[in-house]
Structure formats: C-alpha cells, structure tokens
Amino acid sequence: MIRLPDPATGGTRAHEPRRTPAEAVRGHRGGGTGAGLPLVSRTVFAAAHVVADPLAETSPDGPAVLDWDATLAFRRHLWEHGLGVAEAMDTAQRGMGLDWAGAAELIRRSAAEAKAVGGRLACGVGTDQLRPHGAGPAAAPEKALTAITAAYEEQLALTEDTGAQAVLMASRALAAVARGPEDYERVYGTLLRQASRPVVLHWLGPMFDPALEGYWGSGELDEATDNFLRIIAEHPERVDGVKVSLLDADREVALRRRLPQNVTCYTGDDFHYPQLIEGDEAGHSDALLGVFDPLAPLAAHAVRLLDSGDTAAFRAVLDPTVPLARHLFQQPTRYYKTGVVLLAWLAGHQEHFTMVGGLQSARSLPHLARAYELADSLGLFPDPERAEHRMKQLLAVQGVAQ
C-alpha cells in the first residue's frame, strides 16, 4: 500500500498498487539488439524524451548535459516495439531545455543508432539557433525572414545528411515576424523546394506553445487551415505528411479529408488518438505522439491488433489509456514531459528523476502522484514493486510519510 496526496482533502489517501504488469508489458522481452517487427496498418512514431545527466554541473538556463547511454537505450526500447522515433521535436525537447547544439548532437547519435538497429527515425527541423522570438529587428522583416529561412536550411541539411526524415516544425521566430500568410508561403516554399526527400509539416497549436498563436498567418483556425493547405497543394510531391497538434479531433478529421491523396495525416492529438488512428470510412490518421513515449508497449500491442483487423480489440487496449494521456497533457500542456520522465524512471528506463532545465519541478506532487496511479492501473510498470518503491522515495522527499 502507498499513501498518495489527496488535494480534495489536503491530506493523503491509500492506493493499493497492482502486482503484475499488463500482458503487453510483461510479455515483451527486448534485448536492445534491433527493431521489432514493423507495424503494418499504421505508421506510428513516439516523440521520445531525453535522459539528463544527473551528475552534471549545470543550471536551468545552461546547456543541457545528457546521459547518452540511457537516452539511446530508450530509443532502442521504442524501436524494439516496432514504433518509429520522433527525435529533437518541439515540446519533447526543443524550447524546453535542449538548445540547437544539443539537438544536433542528439540527431547525429540517434541517426547512427537507428541505422545500427534498423529503426525508423524522423527529426525536428526548426530555427531555435536564432535568439528568442526573432531573427532581426521588427522594422526589418525581410532581413528577419532571410535569417529564419537560413536557420531552417542549416537544420534541414544536417538532418538530411544523417539519413533521417525531416519534420519541419513551427518556428517561434517566424510567428513573431510574419506579416501574413504570404510570409509563411515564402519560407516554407523555399524549404520544400530544397528538401531532398518528402518532409512532414508540423502544425503545433498554442496550447503547446503560446508563442505560436496565429501560425500560418491567422488567429482564425479556418483561415489558418486554408493557408496551410495552400502551401501543401503547391508542393504535394515534397510533403510526406502533416502532424496536427491542435487537440481538436473534429478539426483534424476535416483537415485530413482535404489533404492530397499522397499526403499522410499524423495525429499529434494526445487527447483523441484512439478514434483518430482507428479512422472512419473516409480514412484515418497515422501517429506522431508524445504520449506514446510512456505508452509504447500498449500502443504497439493495440496497433498489432488493428493490423489483424480487430478494431474492437484495438480500442479495448487503447481507450483505457486516454485518462492518463489527458492527465499528462493537462494545462500548461507544454510541461507534459515531466510526467513522462517520471513514468520512465518508475518503469526502470532510467535511474533518476532529473530533467534538462530542471523541469522535474514543473508539475506538482499531486499531479505526479496521479500520473503514477493511472499508469499503475494500466499495468505499465514492468516491475510494479520497483515503481512503488521509487514513488515512495519521491513522496518521502516531498514530505509525504509512508
């Protein structure tokens, strides 16, 4: 039994942990030597977290120092389940403690690891080597747009040189200086013409990053959608897919139905992913999700059921995971990785609960305790006793006696 904080009473309440993991967790015996059998009916990426070096002498605003062995081992864990890895993504790492120099090294190392084990890899391409919220004075938008394009080009070249697929992420700098949809068309058009292979375009909503309000040239989502689709329509052969992170299932479905036939919709909706991945008579979404970092064993198992044609079983596995996902991604959504890293520690994928940028403090103790409780109820922990012991350690440090 473990005592968890109870915000409703200001005290604590008892929770009895389960003693056996879920079959999908218990039955997996990965050895870290290669990628598992690929999923067939859907393409699925997990946006993977990085593991900080807890012994590094650094500060929240200093360069991140990573534990490379543990970081790459977690990527092998995802590949072993048949998932792809989405690397150096926005709210997974970028703008949340990992600078461009660190992201570049992460891309290089992950790409080498992907080649060694046969894993699929997509990597974020952005403009975060520029100073925050701009690439030049507001009075010189042409100069700023040139600098933004050059920053994107640098990251695109590095990513493509490693052999990874590029995900063109939303740019805070572009959002800050763009005068209208024509500036987005100019920057993205230039990049798409240069890309050596089809890329993924990422629409990240302001619930994940408030600095991206009004992206694609309008704060009105219908108008922004039209602008976004116009860019794709002008370069359909250069766009593999779009990742939509708006947490609005109806809007994603409507956008999905308007995409050119060869362009895939990768859902980034961590609230509605079961129905979006299942799809309807008009199509489905594939996935590029942060929540599939902790849910990898269950997500892979669910999609394999879908591969076999058993839609009901797919939903029976994945639907119960939604309460945990909604909890991890509650406002402020950009801090969802704190819960993700907690669960990685509890599951034994790393030996500490330390994050780059000190973000282990970004969520309250009651929030973390509820994440533990929900994950435990799903059977996500390969060793439930270890998870209980570690959670008790965290609670004790925070003053919750057991």
Side-chain angles (χ1 to χ4, degrees):
M1 189 271 290
I2 183 171
R3 299 207 65 82
L4 302 176
D6 183 3
T9 64
T12 62
R13 55 184 174 80
H15 170 70
E16 188 61 45
R18 62 183 288 168
R19 295 302 165 193
T20 57
E23 177 57 36
V25 176
R26 183 170 67 252
H28 182 69
R29 295 289 183 268
T33 57
L37 292 175
L39 306 177
V40 177
S41 60
R42 303 291 186 269
T43 300
V44 179
F45 290 94
H49 74 279
V50 295
V51 183
D53 181 350
L55 304 181
E57 180 60 46
T58 187
S59 63
D61 57 354
V65 182
L66 301 187
D67 178 337
W68 289 111
D69 289 342
T71 293
L72 295 175
F74 188 76
R75 279 130 186 84
R76 292 194 296 272
H77 156 73
L78 295 174
W79 285 319
E80 284 172 351
H81 283 286
L83 276 63
V85 170
E87 192 64 278
M89 294 295 292
D90 11 47
T91 47
Q93 295 137 10
R94 312 281 278 278
M96 300 292 285
L98 193 69
D99 61 11
W100 165 235
E105 183 64 15
L106 179 63
I107 291 169
R108 293 187 192 98
R109 291 186 183 234
S110 293
E113 198 72 18
K115 290 176 183 177
V117 305
R120 184 166 182 172
L121 181 69
C123 296
V125 168
T127 64
D128 49 328
Q129 67 270 55
L130 302 173
R131 65 176 182 267
H133 297 292
E142 291 301 319
K143 182 178 179 181
L145 291 172
T146 298
I148 289 166
T149 303
Y152 265 129
E153 289 171 337
E154 177 189 357
Q155 297 198 16
L156 178 62
L158 182 145
T159 297
E160 292 194 327
D161 283 349
T162 69
Q165 183 173 21
V167 181
L168 297 186
M169 301 187 298
S171 165
R172 291 175 176 177
L174 182 54
V177 304
R179 296 156 294 186
E182 65 281 358
D183 285 342
Y184 290 91
E185 292 173 20
R186 168 182 164 180
V187 171
Y188 279 88
T190 299
L191 296 170
L192 289 171
R193 285 189 293 272
Q194 292 181 13
S196 63
R197 57 181 290 198
V199 305
V200 176
L201 301 182
H202 188 188
W203 186 353
L204 188 72
M207 69 289 296
F208 286 94
D209 188 343
L212 299 176
E213 183 71 47
Y215 212 74
W216 306 115
S218 177
E220 203 285 310
L221 285 177
D222 288 339
E223 187 175 329
T225 299
D226 290 341
N227 298 339
F228 182 50
L229 288 168
R230 185 164 56 251
I231 292 171
I232 297 167
E234 291 173 355
H235 310 276
E237 75 287 352
R238 299 299 181 96
V239 180
D240 166 69
V242 300
K243 173 174 164 20
V244 185
S245 301
L246 298 176
L247 302 184
D248 184 331
D250 291 340
R251 184 168 294 280
E252 178 175 324
V253 170
L255 186 152
R256 185 174 76 197
R257 291 175 176 172
R258 296 175 63 189
L259 290 172
Q261 189 172 6
N262 66 309
V263 176
T264 299
C265 182
Y266 294 95
T267 187
D269 188 331
D270 300 277
F271 285 3
H272 307 100
Y273 51 92
Q275 68 254 43
L276 290 166
I277 296 171
E278 178 189 357
D280 54 29
E281 68 284 351
H284 65 266
S285 296
D286 290 277
L288 198 166
L289 290 163
V291 77
F292 279 2
D293 174 311
L295 291 180
L298 298 183
H301 177 55
V303 176
R304 293 191 194 285
L305 291 169
L306 197 59
D307 291 347
S308 72
D310 196 338
T311 302
F314 163 80
R315 293 296 296 266
V317 171
L318 217 51
D319 283 354
T321 67
V322 172
L324 173 61
R326 287 179 173 267
H327 179 74
L328 294 176
F329 284 80
Q330 68 182 215
Q331 293 289 342
T333 305
R334 63 189 180 277
Y335 294 128
Y336 80 91
K337 278 296 175 185
T338 302
V340 166
V341 174
L342 170 81
L343 298 182
W345 173 53
L346 297 178
H349 295 299
Q350 57 193 78
E351 295 304 314
H352 58 84
F353 180 41
T354 302
M355 297 179 66
V356 298
L359 287 173
Q360 66 272 14
S361 64
R363 293 294 201 187
S364 69
L365 187 63
H367 176 93
L368 298 177
R370 182 61 176 157
Y372 160 74
E373 185 177 28
L374 289 168
D376 176 67
S377 71
L378 293 170
L380 270 181
F381 302 127
D383 184 342
E385 290 186 3
R386 175 178 57 197
E388 179 184 358
H389 174 69
R390 289 184 171 184
M391 193 67 209
K392 284 181 174 178
Q393 288 182 307
L394 178 63
L395 290 165
V397 169
Q398 300 294 328
V400 181
Q402 298 297 310

